Amino acid sequence: GQQLNQSPQSMFIQEGEDVSMNCTSSSIFNTWLWYKQDPGEGPVLLIALYKAGELTSNGRLTAQFGITRKDSFLNISASIPSDVGIYFCAGQSKSNYQLIWGAGTKLIIKP
Amino acid sequence: DGGITQSPKYLFRKEGQNVTLSCEQNLNHDAMYWYRQDPGQGLRLIYYSQIVNDFQKGDIAEGYSVSREKKESFPLTVTSAQKNPTAFYLCASLDRGGNEKLFFGSGTQLSVL
Protein backbone atom coordinates (compact mmCIF):
# COMPACT_ATOMS: atom_id res chain seq x y z
CA GLY A 1 0.00 0.00 0.00
CA GLN A 2 0.89 3.64 -0.27
CA GLN A 3 3.23 5.09 2.36
CA LEU A 4 4.40 8.50 3.34
CA ASN A 5 8.09 9.37 3.32
CA GLN A 6 8.98 10.09 6.94
CA SER A 7 12.44 11.27 7.90
CA PRO A 8 14.71 10.86 9.60
CA GLN A 9 14.32 7.16 10.37
CA SER A 10 16.03 7.64 13.74
CA MET A 11 17.58 10.45 15.74
CA PHE A 12 20.18 10.41 18.49
CA ILE A 13 20.05 13.64 20.43
CA GLN A 14 21.22 15.13 23.71
CA GLU A 15 18.69 16.04 26.37
CA GLY A 16 17.67 19.66 25.92
CA GLU A 17 18.14 19.70 22.16
CA ASP A 18 15.39 20.59 19.73
CA VAL A 19 14.10 17.88 17.38
CA SER A 20 12.60 18.16 13.93
CA MET A 21 11.04 15.47 11.74
CA ASN A 22 8.89 15.61 8.63
CA CYS A 23 6.65 13.67 6.29
CA THR A 24 6.12 14.13 2.57
CA SER A 25 3.67 12.60 0.16
CA SER A 26 2.91 12.61 -3.54
CA SER A 27 -0.79 12.89 -2.68
CA ILE A 28 -2.76 15.78 -1.27
CA PHE A 29 -4.20 15.26 2.19
CA ASN A 30 -6.99 16.96 4.10
CA THR A 31 -5.74 15.85 7.51
CA TRP A 32 -2.33 15.27 9.05
CA LEU A 33 -1.99 13.47 12.36
CA TRP A 34 1.11 13.01 14.51
CA TYR A 35 1.35 10.12 16.99
CA LYS A 36 3.86 8.90 19.55
CA GLN A 37 4.26 5.22 20.39
CA ASP A 38 5.98 3.85 23.49
CA PRO A 39 7.29 0.24 23.41
CA GLY A 40 4.51 -2.32 23.68
CA GLU A 41 1.77 0.30 23.60
CA GLY A 42 -0.61 1.75 21.05
CA PRO A 43 0.15 5.10 19.39
CA VAL A 44 -1.15 8.17 21.18
CA LEU A 45 -2.36 11.18 19.23
CA LEU A 46 -0.16 14.27 19.76
CA ILE A 47 -1.38 16.83 17.26
CA ALA A 48 -4.06 16.90 14.55
CA LEU A 49 -3.94 19.34 11.60
CA TYR A 50 -6.89 20.03 9.31
CA LYS A 51 -6.03 23.11 7.22
CA ALA A 52 -3.18 23.92 4.85
CA GLY A 53 -0.71 26.26 6.56
CA GLU A 54 -2.08 25.47 10.01
CA LEU A 55 0.50 25.65 12.80
CA THR A 56 -0.53 23.94 16.06
CA SER A 57 1.27 23.54 19.38
CA ASN A 58 0.84 21.07 22.21
CA GLY A 59 3.22 22.02 25.01
CA ARG A 60 6.77 21.65 23.66
CA LEU A 61 5.48 20.13 20.42
CA THR A 62 4.67 22.13 17.32
CA ALA A 63 3.39 20.76 14.02
CA GLN A 64 2.54 22.38 10.71
CA PHE A 65 0.32 21.37 7.80
CA GLY A 66 2.30 22.22 4.66
CA ILE A 67 0.85 24.83 2.32
CA THR A 68 0.97 22.38 -0.60
CA ARG A 69 -1.01 19.86 1.52
CA LYS A 70 1.64 17.26 0.68
CA ASP A 71 3.85 17.60 3.74
CA SER A 72 3.94 18.19 7.47
CA PHE A 73 6.61 18.62 10.12
CA LEU A 74 6.80 18.06 13.86
CA ASN A 75 9.18 19.94 16.15
CA ILE A 76 9.96 19.11 19.76
CA SER A 77 11.71 21.81 21.75
CA ALA A 78 14.05 21.22 24.69
CA SER A 79 13.79 17.43 24.60
CA ILE A 80 13.49 15.47 27.85
CA PRO A 81 14.00 11.73 28.54
CA SER A 82 10.28 10.91 28.31
CA ASP A 83 10.26 12.12 24.69
CA VAL A 84 11.97 8.85 23.74
CA GLY A 85 9.80 6.70 21.50
CA ILE A 86 8.66 6.33 17.92
CA TYR A 87 6.83 9.19 16.23
CA PHE A 88 4.48 8.49 13.34
CA CYS A 89 2.83 10.80 10.88
CA ALA A 90 -0.40 9.88 9.13
CA GLY A 91 -2.26 11.59 6.31
CA GLN A 92 -5.88 11.25 5.35
CA SER A 93 -7.80 12.19 2.23
CA LYS A 94 -11.55 12.72 2.30
CA SER A 95 -12.04 10.32 -0.57
CA ASN A 96 -11.77 7.12 1.44
CA TYR A 97 -11.21 8.02 5.13
CA GLN A 98 -8.19 5.71 5.21
CA LEU A 99 -5.03 6.88 6.88
CA ILE A 100 -1.70 6.56 5.11
CA TRP A 101 1.18 6.06 7.56
CA GLY A 102 4.80 7.03 7.65
CA ALA A 103 7.34 4.38 8.74
CA GLY A 104 8.15 6.27 11.94
CA THR A 105 11.00 8.27 13.45
CA LYS A 106 12.72 6.65 16.42
CA LEU A 107 13.91 9.22 18.94
CA ILE A 108 16.78 8.20 21.22
CA ILE A 109 18.25 10.49 23.84
CA LYS A 110 21.96 10.04 24.51
CA PRO A 111 22.85 9.81 28.20
CA ASP B 1 -13.61 5.93 31.30
CA GLY B 2 -14.18 5.89 27.55
CA GLY B 3 -11.64 4.08 25.45
CA ILE B 4 -10.58 1.13 23.36
CA THR B 5 -9.80 -2.16 25.08
CA GLN B 6 -7.77 -4.88 23.41
CA SER B 7 -7.35 -8.33 24.90
CA PRO B 8 -5.36 -10.32 25.57
CA LYS B 9 -2.14 -8.30 25.81
CA TYR B 10 -0.06 -11.36 24.87
CA LEU B 11 -1.23 -14.35 22.83
CA PHE B 12 0.51 -17.48 21.65
CA ARG B 13 -0.57 -19.52 18.67
CA LYS B 14 0.26 -23.09 17.79
CA GLU B 15 0.77 -24.23 14.22
CA GLY B 16 -2.52 -24.64 12.38
CA GLN B 17 -4.53 -22.89 15.07
CA ASN B 18 -6.97 -20.02 14.64
CA VAL B 19 -6.85 -17.32 17.31
CA THR B 20 -9.15 -14.36 17.93
CA LEU B 21 -8.08 -10.96 19.18
CA SER B 22 -10.69 -8.89 20.97
CA CYS B 23 -11.32 -5.17 20.47
CA GLU B 24 -14.05 -3.29 22.32
CA GLN B 25 -14.75 0.45 22.31
CA ASN B 26 -17.23 2.53 24.31
CA LEU B 27 -16.56 5.76 22.42
CA ASN B 28 -19.64 5.37 20.20
CA HIS B 29 -17.43 5.46 17.10
CA ASP B 30 -18.82 4.03 13.87
CA ALA B 31 -15.52 3.17 12.18
CA MET B 32 -13.03 0.64 13.53
CA TYR B 33 -9.70 -0.60 12.17
CA TRP B 34 -7.16 -3.38 12.62
CA TYR B 35 -3.48 -2.74 11.95
CA ARG B 36 -0.44 -4.99 12.02
CA GLN B 37 2.94 -3.69 13.16
CA ASP B 38 6.19 -5.59 12.68
CA PRO B 39 9.35 -4.65 14.62
CA GLY B 40 10.80 -1.37 13.42
CA GLN B 41 8.00 -0.93 10.91
CA GLY B 42 5.03 1.34 10.45
CA LEU B 43 1.38 0.31 10.54
CA ARG B 44 -0.26 -1.80 7.86
CA LEU B 45 -4.04 -1.96 7.52
CA ILE B 46 -5.61 -5.43 7.76
CA TYR B 47 -9.36 -4.74 7.81
CA TYR B 48 -11.65 -1.85 8.55
CA SER B 49 -15.32 -1.36 9.22
CA GLN B 50 -17.20 1.87 8.58
CA ILE B 51 -20.44 0.68 10.14
CA VAL B 52 -22.05 -2.33 11.83
CA ASN B 53 -22.41 -5.44 9.63
CA ASP B 54 -20.01 -4.04 7.04
CA PHE B 55 -16.24 -4.36 6.65
CA GLN B 56 -13.60 -4.06 3.92
CA LYS B 57 -10.20 -5.58 3.32
CA GLY B 58 -7.16 -3.44 3.89
CA ASP B 59 -3.71 -3.87 2.38
CA ILE B 60 -2.82 -7.20 4.03
CA ALA B 61 -6.13 -9.02 4.65
CA GLU B 62 -5.00 -12.50 3.53
CA GLY B 63 -5.03 -14.97 6.41
CA TYR B 64 -7.27 -12.78 8.58
CA SER B 65 -11.02 -12.47 9.12
CA VAL B 66 -13.23 -10.05 11.04
CA SER B 67 -16.83 -9.52 12.06
CA ARG B 68 -18.79 -6.44 13.10
CA GLU B 69 -22.01 -7.61 14.68
CA LYS B 70 -22.07 -4.82 17.25
CA LYS B 71 -20.94 -1.21 17.07
CA GLU B 72 -18.73 -1.69 20.14
CA SER B 73 -16.90 -4.81 19.00
CA PHE B 74 -14.58 -5.64 16.09
CA PRO B 75 -12.79 -8.97 16.72
CA LEU B 76 -9.95 -10.11 14.49
CA THR B 77 -9.30 -13.80 13.79
CA VAL B 78 -5.83 -14.82 12.71
CA THR B 79 -6.37 -18.00 10.74
CA SER B 80 -4.02 -20.90 10.05
CA ALA B 81 -3.67 -19.49 6.52
CA GLN B 82 -1.61 -16.63 7.93
CA LYS B 83 1.87 -18.17 7.76
CA ASN B 84 3.73 -15.36 9.51
CA PRO B 85 1.40 -14.15 12.25
CA THR B 86 3.99 -12.98 14.79
CA ALA B 87 3.43 -9.24 15.13
CA PHE B 88 1.94 -6.49 17.28
CA TYR B 89 -1.74 -5.98 16.45
CA LEU B 90 -3.42 -2.64 17.00
CA CYS B 91 -7.13 -1.87 16.99
CA ALA B 92 -8.37 1.66 16.46
CA SER B 93 -11.60 3.60 16.15
CA LEU B 94 -12.30 6.85 14.35
CA ASP B 95 -13.94 9.90 15.82
CA ARG B 96 -15.77 11.69 13.00
CA GLY B 97 -17.33 14.36 15.16
CA GLY B 98 -16.19 17.45 13.30
CA ASN B 99 -12.53 16.69 12.61
CA GLU B 100 -11.46 13.07 12.24
CA LYS B 101 -9.14 11.58 14.85
CA LEU B 102 -8.03 7.97 15.17
CA PHE B 103 -7.69 6.47 18.65
CA PHE B 104 -5.80 3.26 19.41
CA GLY B 105 -6.01 0.43 21.90
CA SER B 106 -2.90 -0.74 23.74
CA GLY B 107 -2.22 -3.60 21.35
CA THR B 108 -1.89 -7.39 21.40
CA GLN B 109 1.45 -9.13 20.84
CA LEU B 110 0.88 -12.40 18.99
CA SER B 111 3.66 -14.98 18.89
CA VAL B 112 3.89 -18.45 17.36
CA LEU B 113 4.89 -21.36 19.60
Side-chain angles (χ1 to χ4, degrees):
Chain A
Q2 183 184 354
Q3 266 208 331
L4 299 175
N5 294 316
Q6 185 172 350
S7 65
Q9 189 174 12
S10 59
M11 302 182 72
F12 294 80
I13 62 168
Q14 300 276 8
E15 184 177 347
E17 283 184 9
D18 295 344
V19 171
S20 185
M21 61 192 78
N22 69 85
C23 282
T24 60
S25 169
S26 56
S27 304
I28 290 174
F29 289 124
N30 293 81
T31 298
W32 282 96
L33 304 172
W34 283 93
Y35 289 83
K36 181 187 179 224
Q37 186 179 28
D38 292 323
E41 297 296 327
V44 174
L45 182 64
L46 299 174
I47 293 179
L49 303 161
Y50 300 105
K51 209 162 62 168
E54 180 181 355
L55 184 71
T56 296
S57 293
N58 177 8
R60 293 177 296 105
L61 278 62
T62 301
Q64 184 158 31
F65 194 140
I67 199 73
T68 65
R69 293 165 62 193
K70 292 184 178 181
D71 63 331
S72 177
F73 72 74
L74 174 72
N75 287 344
I76 306 172
S77 63
S79 58
I80 60 177
S82 62
D83 290 335
V84 164
I86 303 177
Y87 292 81
F88 290 99
C89 63
Q92 185 183 50
S93 65
K94 284 286 191 203
S95 60
N96 60 13
Y97 290 104
Q98 285 195 45
L99 283 175
I100 310 298
W101 291 87
T105 295
K106 188 172 185 177
L107 184 61
I108 300 162
I109 295 184
K110 293 183 278 193
Chain B
D1 276 5
I4 303 172
T5 302
Q6 288 188 241
S7 62
K9 183 65 178 175
Y10 300 96
L11 187 59
F12 297 91
R13 193 192 89 166
K14 295 180 183 177
E15 291 285 341
Q17 188 181 38
N18 291 355
V19 292
T20 297
L21 284 60
S22 170
C23 179
E24 304 277 332
Q25 55 100 357
N26 60 6
L27 301 168
N28 200 33
H29 292 168
D30 285 317
M32 297 185 73
Y33 302 77
W34 274 105
Y35 288 93
R36 170 179 171 142
Q37 187 177 33
D38 292 283
Q41 304 285 323
L43 305 179
R44 292 188 290 168
L45 183 64
I46 305 172
Y47 267 97
Y48 65 102
S49 168
Q50 304 275 25
I51 200 165
V52 174
N53 292 323
D54 185 56
F55 49 83
Q56 286 82 40
K57 293 181 179 180
D59 299 320
I60 55 165
E62 187 175 346
Y64 300 97
S65 66
V66 293
S67 62
R68 188 82 188 279
E69 296 175 4
K70 298 187 299 181
K71 188 175 186 178
E72 300 80 18
S73 179
F74 190 39
L76 173 74
T77 297
V78 184
T79 74
S80 57
Q82 173 48 247
K83 298 306 179 189
N84 183 23
T86 297
F88 192 54
Y89 290 86
L90 287 159
C91 178
S93 68
L94 183 68
D95 178 6
R96 291 215 183 103
N99 295 317
E100 282 97 14
K101 296 177 184 176
L102 195 68
F103 294 92
F104 285 88
S106 58
T108 293
Q109 175 65 48
L110 176 63
S111 303
V112 176
L113 290 175

